[in-house]
């Protein structure tokens, strides 16, 4: 899977069965100070979804599984 945007160490990472959105962000060394944590985009094939990672942290049962080939992009916050 691939990680881009406002992450401390974006890039390509090896996937495993238990990879989730929050684990993937942690694998990329976490958010930068400028990351928009409520607007994280997951692209899977032709599908695009936007997730609020603050909500996922409060409710770990909602954490999204990541699949091989997925791309996660963290946008920059305006504040």
């Amino acid at each position: 899977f691939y990680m881009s945007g406002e992450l401390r160490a974006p890039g390509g990472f090896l996937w495993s069965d238990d990879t989730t959105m929050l684990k993937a962000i942690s694998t990329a060394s976490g958010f930068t100070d400028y990351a928009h944590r409520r607007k994280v985009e997951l692209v899977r094939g032709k599908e695009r979804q936007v997730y609020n990672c603050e909500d996922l942290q409060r409710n770990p049962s909602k954490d999204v599984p990541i699949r091989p080939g997925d791309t996660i992009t963290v946008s920059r916050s305006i504040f």
Side-chain angles (χ1 to χ4, degrees), residues 34-36 75-79:
Y34 303 104
H36 194 326
S75 62
R76 187 178 192 112
S77 176
I78 57 172
F79 297 105

Side-chain angles (χ1 to χ4, degrees), residues 4-21:
S4 66
E6 293 299 319
L7 296 158
R8 295 192 188 281
F13 298 91
L14 294 177
W15 175 84
S16 65
D17 287 340
D18 65 340
T19 305
T20 64
M21 175 78 73

Side-chain angles (χ1 to χ4, degrees), residues 4-5 17 22 32 48-50 52 55 62-63:
S4 66
D17 287 340
L22 294 178
T32 67
R48 292 179 185 267
Q49 296 277 344
V50 176
N52 179 341
D55 184 43
K62 293 182 179 180
D63 201 1

Side-chain angles (χ1 to χ4, degrees), residues 28-46:
S29 300
F31 294 111
T32 67
D33 293 338
Y34 303 104
H36 194 326
R37 298 165 193 237
R38 291 173 300 194
K39 192 175 180 184
V40 177
E41 182 181 66
L42 171 65
V43 176
R44 180 175 292 153
K46 294 181 181 181

